Amino acid sequence: MCGIFGITGTVTDAADNVFVGLKNLEYRGYDSWGVALRSHEGIEITKQVGKISDGELATSLAHEAVGHSRWATHGGVTLENSHPHRVGNVVVVHNGIFENYLEYKTKLEDTIEFKSETDSEVIAALIYLELQKGVSPEEALTTAVQNIEGRFAILVMFDDTPGIWAVRRGSPLILGRGDEQTFIASDIPAFLEKTNVVNYLDDNQMAYLYNTDVDFWDLHTGEKITKRNIEVEWDFESADKGEHPHFMIKEILEQKETIARAINQERDQVDEFIKALKKAGGIYIIGCGTAHKAAMATEYFFAQIAGKKVNVVAASEMDAFKTFVRANTAIVCISQSGETADIMEVVEYAESVDATVLSITNVASSSLARASKVALPVKVGPEKAVASTKATTGQMTIGFLLAHAYADTFNKGLGILLGAAANINDMINPRYEEHIESVAQEFKDNENLFIIGRGSLYPMALEAAIKIQEVSYIHAQGFAAGELKHGPIALIEKGTPCIVLGDDQETISNAIELKSRGAVIIGISTGEHEVFDHWLRVPDAEMAQPLVSVIPIQILAYHFALLRGHDPDMPRNLAKSVTVK
Ligand code: AGP
């Protein structure tokens, strides 16, 4: 969480470009923002509480600037807690968590007058105190960051030394190489309009940017290293909202094409992935939030299509299962961003025991993709809305394809998916959206909503709940259809809206049980049924049904958010990329 962005160069629009580029990192946190620029008078800092997209930065000429868009971890959403933080001649922007910061803050309180409640200001203080010993900036940084426990990325400016210093451990930092400027950011969209030539900073590496020159060091050995220039494939156009009011609806509608894009995998990569799975003594599929629900759907695909049991665990819960992860274990990580801290911790553990890391990720350049033996790209283009939509269906597409590849029925799987992709293209049209909007209108003031599904639609009931919760703030809860009568049915009152996924006989029986207790039933299925008070038709996608059934719920969640007056792209308390534990 938090986006950081820095620019050095031979031209003087660094601050303006940081301000503009930082808006493309706003999905990482939007509590407050700030920019530090180097002028003739020294380093000038501007900060504001609120979204950077609502902010303004007075134009100033500068060759160098750093910026920050904050997702508050330590300390409330205040100007004092906003970045950049200055201690003496040191200015820092920070993404990540300094887990043991209190130990140092307490020790230093007599020496440093701290102005914020943040862990980040303590990093600035540690660097400042090292500098006081008369060492060089790189020595001060190297020593100071040794004290930090946790995952982080920092950019540092010094009043008396030109250039920007960057250190990475656990949180992403990518350099962009332009002709007149060098960029360093938490994510590529910050500078994608300017260049697509990048260098990846790896963990425990430091960079020094000055004009268009960059030096890299390994923090462990202290030695200089060289980096290969890599061209990334994303174009700037696809990271833009275009004619749509929000990224969320743009990304939902893009599913007309993105399933087909996700299907289009390199066959030899899929074969290598399957070979690793077949060789493994045990398979874990991990993910967080929505990606965890895509993992659960993949578990059903493997069971139903390939007759193979895989273990699905939320990445944040893997600690209890670590003892089962050994050199012959395959860990399949599903992640849109490829930067989620809970996943990267498991990856680091897997690496330490020589387990095989495989991944399904939308960001082909992410830390996860780079750490994987085989990384299958989801290929749906940048997903900017906090609520995952097109990446989810893309991930499930690949999960489905893998299950068929495992069962040696790859072409059959391909055929089903191509059929689903064509049907989704027909399903998503303005009339369909209007119908869903009218359903949202009827239930927008309800504070509770339940969703049930059976088999591979059960994970979609859980996913539906996340989607509705995160953008509309309605208390939505998903259940396995057959579990209701074991407790949750007590929650049903007259008028409680319940979404029923599927129209198989057993699920319909559960819907009837709900209705006889007063529930209003919204059916999402291929066929209509009299128990449904409202019906959202979805095409028949055979075993790939979760892919199509989740889409009307995404549209419903979007309209709930609008009707309740919320910004669906930037819901409260959330950030797109969760890079803290
Ligand atoms: C999705 O709608 C959520 N905002 C969230 O659950 C997300 O899926 C989760 O944080 C995992 O992110 P990742 O896919 O980037 O790893």
Side-chain angles (χ1 to χ4, degrees):
M1 358 252 323
C2 299
I4 60 178
F5 185 26
I7 301 179
T8 61
T10 53
V11 287
T12 54
D13 57 0
D16 297 334
N17 286 344
V18 161
F19 182 67
V20 171
L22 208 49
K23 291 180 185 176
N24 289 327
L25 298 186
E26 196 174 25
Y27 69 89
R28 302 179 69 87
Y30 33 84
D31 289 329
S32 65
W33 64 274
V35 171
L37 62 93
R38 191 184 297 283
S39 73
H40 292 305
E41 280 82 49
I43 298 173
E44 291 171 21
I45 296 177
T46 306
K47 305 182 190 194
Q48 278 176 25
V49 168
K51 297 172 181 168
I52 191 167
S53 45
D54 297 335
E56 269 178 39
L57 181 74
T59 306
S60 283
L61 299 183
H63 290 281
E64 295 172 2
V66 295
H68 186 272
S69 191
R70 179 171 188 243
W71 186 83
T73 57
H74 295 64
V77 180
T78 64
L79 203 58
E80 293 71 33
N81 291 335
S82 307
H83 297 223
H85 291 285
R86 174 190 272 283
V87 175
N89 58 344
V90 180
V91 172
V92 169
V93 290
H94 168 220
N95 167 31
I97 291 190
F98 181 177
E99 286 170 4
N100 51 331
Y101 82 108
L102 260 185
E103 178 192 330
Y104 289 95
K105 188 166 184 175
T106 317
K107 256 195 248 165
L108 297 177
E109 245 150 9
D110 293 339
T111 326
I112 305 282
E113 196 193 324
F114 288 106
K115 298 183 185 71
S116 78
E117 302 158 279
T118 65
D119 51 342
S120 316
E121 193 183 9
V122 183
I123 299 177
L126 289 176
I127 300 168
Y128 168 74
L129 290 173
E130 286 304 321
L131 270 183
Q132 299 309 297
K133 297 175 185 165
V135 302
S136 65
E138 61 261 35
E139 283 170 304
L141 268 163
T142 308
T143 314
V145 299
Q146 276 168 16
N147 300 306
I148 303 176
E149 281 171 24
R151 316 172 72 80
F152 68 89
I154 52 171
L155 300 180
V156 186
M157 290 171 90
F158 300 95
D159 275 330
D160 23 31
T161 315
I164 295 172
W165 299 83
V167 181
R168 171 195 163 136
R169 193 204 296 147
S171 301
L173 266 185
I174 303 135
L175 267 109
R177 314 296 294 253
D179 293 336
E180 296 176 315
Q181 284 177 319
T182 304
F183 311 90
I184 185 152
S186 306
D187 200 357
I188 293 169
F191 55 74
L192 201 52
E193 200 179 7
K194 304 282 179 191
T195 182
N196 67 340
V197 179
V198 305
N199 302 131
Y200 294 106
L201 208 62
D202 292 319
D203 283 347
N204 298 304
Q205 291 183 344
M206 177 162 70
Y208 172 59
L209 289 69
Y210 176 65
N211 280 341
T212 52
D213 297 330
V214 189
D215 288 325
F216 297 99
W217 287 265
D218 180 310
L219 279 178
H220 287 323
T221 63
E223 285 180 6
K224 279 204 175 172
I225 45 181
T226 49
K227 293 262 174 195
R228 196 163 55 91
N229 282 355
I230 296 170
E231 272 186 42
V232 290
E233 279 173 21
W234 281 356
D235 57 55
F236 188 68
E237 192 72 16
S238 54
D240 201 76
K241 237 186 303 193
E243 78 227 19
H244 300 281
H246 300 100
F247 279 110
M248 185 176 175
I249 191 68
K250 177 194 177 227
E251 290 159 5
I252 290 171
L253 299 180
E254 279 176 351
Q255 289 172 114
K256 285 165 168 234
E257 300 120 36
T258 51
I259 309 276
R261 277 198 250 149
I263 294 169
N264 191 17
Q265 295 294 320
E266 299 287 339
R267 188 59 207 267
D268 56 342
Q269 290 285 94
V270 173
D271 288 346
E272 209 188 322
F273 201 111
I274 295 299
K275 203 167 133 200
L277 291 186
K278 289 201 168 165
K279 220 174 92 189
I283 301 171
Y284 281 88
I285 309 187
I286 63 164
C288 298
T290 288
H292 173 240
K293 308 307 169 283
M296 286 178 71
T298 302
E299 180 184 15
Y300 279 89
F301 297 151
F302 267 81
Q304 293 169 340
I305 296 163
K308 174 74 186 166
K309 173 73 183 108
V310 296
N311 304 292
V312 171
V313 182
S316 58
E317 285 298 320
M318 265 305 278
D319 253 11
F321 304 98
K322 270 183 176 169
T323 45
F324 307 113
V325 177
R326 308 192 182 116
N328 68 343
T329 309
I331 305 278
V332 179
C333 306
I334 304 186
S335 172
Q336 189 286 129
S337 62
E339 300 292 348
T340 301
D342 289 319
I343 292 178
M344 291 313 293
E345 283 238 342
V346 179
V347 168
E348 281 154 26
Y349 181 78
E351 283 172 338
S352 74
V353 295
D354 281 335
T356 304
V357 176
L358 304 163
S359 64
I360 299 171
T361 179
N362 194 34
V363 183
S365 53
S366 60
S367 305
L368 173 61
R370 285 181 289 122
S372 305
K373 182 174 166 40
V374 187
L376 295 182
V378 182
K379 295 186 175 179
V380 296
E383 190 181 67
K384 300 290 288 295
V386 164
S388 181
T389 55
K390 61 177 180 173
T392 316
T393 47
Q395 290 160 353
M396 290 194 289
T397 298
I398 297 175
F400 187 84
L401 211 51
L402 287 171
H404 271 285
Y406 196 98
D408 244 345
T409 53
F410 185 83
N411 287 339
K412 183 178 176 201
L414 213 56
I416 295 172
L417 287 169
L418 286 169
N423 285 333
I424 286 170
N425 193 12
D426 294 343
M427 176 181 83
I428 305 180
N429 60 51
R431 269 194 24 237
Y432 193 64
E433 196 186 335
E434 269 166 36
H435 175 46
I436 296 175
E437 188 183 358
S438 70
V439 174
Q441 180 70 42
E442 181 168 335
F443 300 106
K444 70 175 196 311
D445 297 322
N446 282 75
E447 284 311 318
N448 296 298
L449 189 153
F450 302 104
I451 311 106
I452 61 166
R454 175 175 261 95
S456 62
L457 291 179
Y458 163 48
M460 293 306 95
L462 301 180
E463 165 54 11
I466 297 188
K467 215 80 307 151
I468 295 168
Q469 289 158 4
E470 70 182 331
V471 297
S472 74
Y473 319 148
I474 292 173
H475 170 227
Q477 236 182 310
F479 298 102
E483 281 295 296
L484 273 191
K485 54 188 174 295
H486 299 290
I489 203 160
L491 296 166
I492 304 301
E493 296 174 337
K494 190 169 170 10
T496 306
C498 293
I499 298 176
V500 174
L501 297 173
D503 59 353
D504 61 280
Q505 214 178 337
E506 284 172 324
T507 304
I508 290 293
S509 298
N510 299 134
I512 293 169
E513 289 157 16
L514 286 169
K515 191 157 185 167
S516 58
R517 276 139 188 103
V520 183
I521 308 294
I522 305 153
I524 298 184
S525 60
T526 53
E528 199 170 8
H529 193 280
E530 61 192 15
V531 72
F532 298 156
D533 295 289
H534 298 275
W535 179 46
L536 306 179
R537 194 187 72 79
V538 286
D540 185 356
E542 303 175 50
M543 294 275 210
Q545 201 58 37
L547 262 79
V548 297
S549 297
V550 75
I551 293 174
I553 295 164
Q554 297 168 346
I555 301 173
L556 185 68
Y558 173 73
H559 283 287
F560 272 144
L562 294 191
L563 290 165
R564 289 166 68 98
H566 305 313
D567 177 352
D569 284 348
M570 286 185 250
R572 70 182 179 204
N573 306 339
L574 289 169
K576 179 72 176 161
S577 210
V578 185
T579 55
V580 295
K581 287 239 337 160

